[in-house]
Amino acid sequence: MGRAAAFFDLDRTLLRRSSTLALAPAFRRHGVITRSQVAKAAFWQLLFVLRGASRERVRAAAEDGLMLLRGFSPERMQHLVGEALEPVLAPLVYDESLHLLRQHRERGEPAYIVSAALQEVVDALAERLGFDGALGTVCEVRDGVYTGRGIRSLHGENKADAVRELAAREGYDLATSTAYSDSHTDLPFLEVVGNPVAVNPDRELRR
């Protein structure tokens, strides 16, 4: 039997708010999105918080977001995220989540961020916070820039599949592993482990 591992969702589980919305001003400064797109993102985020969002709506919003990256390079994205890491993202991390991370690490359990956020975002946060790694949405790169097409979008069942693949590759025992999330859209992700934990659950997940 393999060892247990821990898997943390990002938005409103590890962070107090949406990582994408938190990064929106930086995206605007770097020319990734316009002022009106920042306002639209804030509007959708408010609806998600107040009403929850269906898996289909989350998936569609993520696909729209990837299209905004078209023509932007991964190197510029890494620079953008690195620039925003300390002043923007790090202050949003829940102390409780860091405490849970330390507990898992003290038990010898590897810990990962698993999120629909862009891989470059979760990689930077995982390194900064002391996680063993991260699984995120991967956008296709061609001729050195993003095409806007997702190669791996971590939504719904895809998120659970990514955890299964990681566990098989690293020899983790999912039956004794733990996953944390706030959203009912992450039920497949929560159900893939033996110890699912709801953190700041939305209304449907609370039910």
Side-chain angles (χ1 to χ4, degrees), residues 9-10 12-16 92-94 97 113 129 131:
D9 174 49
L10 182 61
R12 292 176 301 279
T13 300
L14 188 59
L15 299 184
R16 289 182 173 84
L92 296 176
V93 178
Y94 282 113
S97 295
I113 298 174
L129 299 176
F131 282 82

Side-chain angles (χ1 to χ4, degrees), residues 109-128:
E109 298 173 3
Y112 295 82
I113 298 174
V114 185
S115 172
L118 197 64
Q119 186 69 49
E120 287 79 359
V121 173
V122 293
D123 278 344
L125 270 168
E127 182 176 357
R128 165 64 175 76

